[in-house]
Amino acid sequence: MTGPDAPASPLRLTIDTAALTANWRALDRRSGAARAGAAVKADGYGVGAAQVAPVLQAAGCSDFFVAHWGEVAALAAHVPAARIAVLHGPLTPADSAYARAAGVRPVINSIQQAQLWRAGGGGVCDLMVDTGINRLGVSLSELDDPVIAGLTVDVLHSHLAAAEEPDNPLNRLQRERWQAARALIPHRRAALANSAGIALGQDYHGDLTRPGLALYGGVPCAALAGHIRQVVRPQAAIMQVRELQPGDSVGYNATFTAAAAMRVGVVSVGYADGYLRCWSDKGVLRSGERALPVLGRVSMDMTVVDLTRAPDLREGDWLEIDYDLPQAAQRSGLSQYELLTLLGRRFAR
Ligand SMILES: *Cc1c(COP(=O)(O)O)cnc(C)c1O
């Protein structure tokens, strides 16, 4: 059954494709002799895999990483399946069969996954070696297991636990263990660095890097500040303009009370869209250069802002949600990763 097309959403995500391109190129350049790939898991960090993948590919990116098998199809509509790797690897025989049918590479993270992959017919895969994050990955002591040694490995991966802290001794230790793994396991390419890892220098680059956050405008470490541009600009429409009288309160639990008569706007964004309650009485929406403070609690579907500085604004006008990621993270207490991946489905992308 098909109904009429839904009218335009009062929420939209503007994606600056020139900034996305520039960020990938900056990270590729800073990867030195290595090529930069792209982590596009979690729907392109919430930005929209279908939106970002073609842009990244046109910029020159040819290696893409997702976490789940369910994320493959949306991506494979835009980039060659053979250039997609699935970080979580196979958990069931069905996962292995799917990888072979779809023509994507699993990242093998354990002896058990290696067995699953080979039992299903095997083929070229990636291998994740755990060098100290103790999340997914085969440990160094397992690398001589015949099941692992018999894999045909394209990319030999490891993943840094504290790359955004250049002085953390774990970086060096992980790099040394990754080098040891590279000497033990035949592979075509080696990869270690996420966004922040790229800034640690060429010893961390190998043949391929896996930036995610910084592609989308996140700045994980000081060394990348000034090289990364904002990509995502969430916008929401004003649904109603109200005139408050002195003593009127706003929103659930009346946490804001007007001291004087004022004009406010009810905006179509709430915590269901990823604009969490931590922005209550604290966030800022913008109209051009004008900052419009959030008044009272953020609700599920709406947020009220002060329009004192923007007397010209009316119902239907668009406001930009302040989403400079480093600043927004500092103000909200959320991480830059969370700010991106929270962005909800009601945003038109
Ligand atoms: C998510 C992820 C990345 C990307 O990390 P960022 O910090 O977002 O650049 C790289 N490698 C692996 C294994 C990941 O899971």
Side-chain angles (χ1 to χ4, degrees):
M1 215 178 74
T2 58
D5 289 341
S9 172
L11 276 172
R12 64 188 184 201
L13 207 57
T14 311
I15 300 165
D16 184 339
T17 55
L20 179 61
T21 297
N23 289 346
W24 183 82
R25 293 208 170 128
L27 293 160
D28 188 55
R29 231 177 2 257
R30 294 175 82 84
S31 297
R35 296 302 311 277
V40 294
K41 61 197 181 188
D43 198 23
Y45 282 47
V47 182
Q51 281 71 32
V52 301
V55 176
L56 292 167
Q57 182 165 244
C61 179
S62 56
D63 288 277
F64 297 86
F65 299 95
V66 293
H68 285 236
W69 297 101
E71 295 175 329
V72 168
L75 186 58
H78 300 281
V79 308
R83 312 305 310 215
I84 300 173
V86 180
L87 291 163
H88 285 189
L91 190 59
T92 65
D95 294 339
S96 284
Y98 178 81
R100 284 168 60 85
V104 301
R105 302 192 312 280
V107 178
I108 299 300
N109 292 287
S110 66
I111 289 176
Q112 196 183 4
Q113 287 197 343
Q115 280 163 344
L116 258 179
W117 178 237
R118 294 181 66 184
V124 176
C125 62
D126 287 3
L127 180 66
M128 175 65 74
V129 179
D130 179 71
T131 53
I133 194 169
N134 283 299
R135 232 172 40 168
L136 288 180
V138 177
S139 63
L140 280 179
S141 62
E142 292 171 323
L143 291 182
D144 60 358
D145 189 292
V147 180
I148 300 294
L151 293 171
T152 307
V153 177
D154 179 355
V155 186
L156 179 73
H157 297 274
S158 192
H159 188 50
L160 296 166
E164 66 282 359
E165 301 166 18
D167 297 329
N168 193 315
L170 192 51
N171 291 322
R172 192 195 169 99
L173 183 64
Q174 288 198 264
R175 188 194 76 210
E176 287 167 358
R177 289 174 175 165
W178 171 68
Q179 294 288 14
R182 288 176 72 178
L184 289 171
I185 292 284
H187 59 279
R188 293 178 193 157
R189 300 179 287 169
L192 176 64
N194 60 350
S195 300
I198 291 170
L200 293 175
Q202 64 174 13
D203 292 349
Y204 291 80
H205 292 163
D207 306 301
L208 176 66
T209 59
R210 301 182 308 259
L213 182 75
L215 295 173
Y216 312 110
V219 182
C221 55
L224 290 180
H227 301 279
I228 297 300
R229 287 164 56 183
Q230 183 172 348
V231 170
V232 177
R233 295 175 194 279
Q235 296 177 323
I238 299 174
M239 298 187 290
Q240 192 176 116
V241 173
R242 304 182 71 85
E243 306 285 345
L244 300 187
Q245 300 308 314
D248 282 351
S249 65
V250 171
Y252 286 121
N253 309 108
T255 61
F256 173 83
T257 302
M262 66 189 297
R263 209 164 152 268
V264 305
V266 184
V267 184
S268 175
V269 64
Y271 57 77
D273 306 302
Y275 196 66
L276 299 192
R277 289 201 346 158
C278 59
W279 293 115
S280 301
D281 288 306
K282 185 155 89 178
V284 170
L285 274 56
R286 288 183 193 277
S287 171
E289 295 300 305
R290 297 173 298 189
L292 313 175
V294 170
L295 304 176
R297 288 266 158 88
V298 172
S299 307
M300 184 184 294
D301 312 304
M302 54 190 117
T303 296
V304 176
V305 295
D306 183 353
L307 293 182
T308 306
R309 286 194 209 157
D312 54 308
L313 292 181
R314 299 279 176 271
E315 283 92 352
D317 286 343
W318 289 87
L319 300 180
E320 185 165 323
I321 300 167
D322 219 1
Y323 236 64
D324 171 277
L325 290 171
Q327 269 183 35
Q330 201 153 35
R331 289 221 190 99
S332 64
L334 298 167
S335 72
Q336 297 178 60
Y337 296 87
E338 290 169 306
L339 285 165
L340 282 171
T341 55
L342 279 166
L343 291 166
R345 293 169 181 228
R346 294 194 293 199
F347 282 98
R349 287 169 166 84

